[in-house]
Amino acid sequence: MHYSAYHSVDVINGVGTRCTLFVSGCEHACKGCYNQKTWRTDAGHLFSSEQEDRIINDLNDTRILRKGLSLSGGDPLHPANLEGILQLVKRVKRECTGKDIWLWSGYEIAELSPQQQAIIDLVDVFIDGKFEQELYDPALKWRGSSNQVIHWFDEQAAENK
Ligand code: SF4
């Protein structure tokens, strides 16, 4: 897996202060995509075990209280990312007590493969669907176009929205 950017302190992508990882690889080719440089699966940097450790350590760092991890891209559910993302979300759930996971994907919840669903089973908030330029609305929170749906799987995350 490759990633294009990592922000250890982010207050834009989800509720609260967060760590945010933008992975590489996306096959949706949405018209008006804001992040075309992430479409290639080999764009950016190789996601190493050191980078994975850094995210876990950042989430557990008590000097800056982060609410959780946000996974965006690119598409975290692109076939090239499934193994790396599953490993990462499993570690967050196992090693980072009380942290939530948000994930953005162009795939819709009804069309997920069993491998993609295994990741979503560990996610607290899932924002799905391609970006549709005709449905773009700058007033929307945490999504770019009105066709995209925020799925709140975690009651506490929903209460804090
Ligand atoms: S899913 Fe996101 S990254 Fe992929 S083409 Fe659409 S807007 Fe761009």
Side-chain angles (χ1 to χ4, degrees), residues 26 28-30 33-35 38-39 73-75 106 131:
C26 186
H28 301 298
C30 306
C33 170
Y34 58 95
N35 221 355
T38 68
W39 286 5
D75 196 322
F131 172 68

Side-chain angles (χ1 to χ4, degrees), residues 49-63:
S49 57
E50 288 78 16
Q51 180 60 34
E52 188 180 286
D53 289 343
R54 183 182 170 199
I55 294 173
I56 299 296
N57 291 337
D58 286 342
L59 287 169
N60 287 330
D61 184 352
T62 52
R63 292 169 302 175

Side-chain angles (χ1 to χ4, degrees), residues 5 14 39 42 44 53-54 57 61 69 71 81 87 92-93 96 99-100 105 108-109 114 119 141 145 149 159:
W39 286 5
D42 61 355
D53 289 343
R54 183 182 170 199
N57 291 337
D61 184 352
L69 174 66
L71 297 166
N81 297 329
Q87 179 168 308
V92 171
K93 286 295 159 188
C96 306
K99 306 298 177 184
D100 62 17
S105 173
E108 293 179 22
I109 197 162
I119 292 170
K141 222 170 168 186
S145 54
V149 178
E159 279 170 16

Side-chain angles (χ1 to χ4, degrees), residues 15-19 56 58-61 64-69 89-102 122 124-125 154 156-157 160:
V15 170
T17 304
R18 317 187 59 78
C19 298
I56 299 296
D58 286 342
L59 287 169
N60 287 330
D61 184 352
I64 302 175
L65 284 180
R66 281 107 165 164
K67 214 165 166 353
L69 174 66
V89 296
K90 278 183 173 175
R91 279 197 69 187
V92 171
K93 286 295 159 188
R94 196 170 57 233
E95 300 176 36
C96 306
T97 308
K99 306 298 177 184
D100 62 17
I101 302 174
W102 290 46
L122 296 169
D124 301 285
V125 181
D154 177 77
Q156 207 175 353
N160 291 334

